[in-house]
Amino acid sequence: MGNKITVRRGGSVWEAEFPGPVPVREALGRMGVHMDHPCGGRGTCGKCAAEMTGGVSAPSAAELRAGRRLTCQAVALGDCEVVLPPPA
C-alpha cells in the first residue's frame, strides 16, 4: 500500500498511489497533470503555488520566503491533497 495523492483543479480530480515519499512536482507529472515550473523547480518564481493538506513535508526555505506552498518544493510523505489554481 502506498501514499495516496489527490489532486483537485476546478471540477477535475486525479488520484494516484506512490510507494513512498515523492516530490509533488514529480507526482503531478506522473499523473499527467500539467503545472508550469518556469524557474526549473528552484522555488523562485512562485508559478506553481498550490494549497496542500495532509502528509506533506514542512515548508522549505523557498516556500517560507514565498509565503505559500510550491509544488516544486513540497514532498508528499503520506496521504495528501493538492488543490491547484484553475488553468490560465
Side-chain angles (χ1 to χ4, degrees), residues 1 16-17 22 24 35-36 45 51-52 57 59 64 67 69-70 79 81 86-88:
M1 187 72 64
E17 282 197 19
V22 62
V24 173
M35 185 83 181
D36 285 331
C45 70
E51 295 178 32
M52 297 181 211
S57 60
L64 291 173
R69 299 308 311 254
L70 303 173
D79 293 352
E81 181 173 280

Side-chain angles (χ1 to χ4, degrees), residues 7-44:
V7 178
R8 299 180 189 282
R9 176 185 270 164
S12 299
V13 178
W14 298 265
E15 293 183 336
E17 282 197 19
F18 294 92
V22 62
V24 173
R25 174 184 179 183
E26 183 179 323
L28 292 174
R30 288 190 199 173
M31 295 167 79
V33 180
H34 176 73
M35 185 83 181
D36 285 331
H37 297 97
C39 69
R42 292 185 301 274
T44 57

